Amino acid sequence: MSKTKLPTDSQIKNLHKKYAKTDADFVLIYTHCQVVDAIAAQLLDTKPNSQIDRDLLHVACMLHDIGAYDVLENGKFVDGVRHGVIGEKILRNEGFPEQIWRFASHHTGVGLTEQDVINQNLSIPPADYTANTPEERLLMYADKFHSKSKSPKEPPYFCTFEWYYNLVQKFGSDKQAKFQALADEFGKPDITLVASKFGFSIKDVN
């Protein structure tokens, strides 16, 4: 099987600029992708996994939120859950194969099942959006440690493992166990170290 040709960093950045409506939106989303990439790389450095393609993981981190621009209005996310399926459509239209476009639609929460979509009355087509490959799981996990924020008045912030673990229980009794399983597989990141590089604050359990 031939290896998927991956986009360059320059091509990825240009793609973000193509879909960003404003410079501020570009900075918000592109920086978030850089943060997630740094977290994923740190986790992989700390706990190596020979199954993971580092180059593919990097592309996954940098493109997973390409659909987020479409749900940003005046710096605020509107019906943000749609950004994954929007991102999938964008990457499909840009000619990327399934191996890459799945990163956009399969990273929300700790994995959305078709039943989750129905039970939570989400505004996306009922389907399975769970992460299957090691790269998909690591991207999804790393993404949970940084928030783009929900309003222009609240800047982006890092989340501790405990903070997200406490938060995710409201989405279903199985979600904490799934988040813990990801921690068991990949370890826990040193978000203080990553935060110091990007200058964002850290949210923890009160």
Side-chain angles (χ1 to χ4, degrees), residues 3-92:
K3 189 173 181 180
T4 299
K5 184 178 180 181
L6 301 176
T8 65
D9 286 341
S10 178
Q11 289 171 327
I12 290 171
K13 190 171 186 178
N14 287 337
L15 200 60
H16 276 271
K17 289 184 175 180
K18 177 180 178 178
Y19 289 97
K21 299 171 187 174
T22 67
D23 289 343
D25 288 356
F26 168 78
V27 170
L28 179 66
I29 304 303
Y30 189 73
T31 301
H32 167 72
C33 291
Q34 290 179 309
V35 170
V36 173
D37 184 48
I39 293 171
Q42 185 201 87
L43 285 165
L44 201 51
D45 286 341
T46 304
K47 193 173 182 179
N49 185 331
S50 60
Q51 291 184 303
I52 291 178
D53 182 329
R54 278 182 170 267
D55 292 335
L56 178 61
L57 176 66
H58 170 64
V59 169
C61 292
M62 295 306 300
L63 285 178
H64 75 282
D65 264 359
I66 195 69
Y69 296 110
D70 202 62
V71 296
L72 263 176
E73 295 182 11
N74 299 317
K76 182 178 180 180
F77 289 97
V78 179
D79 199 13
V81 73
R82 295 185 301 113
H83 82 284
V85 294
I86 292 171
E88 175 187 317
K89 184 177 180 180
I90 287 172
L91 295 177
R92 279 174 178 265

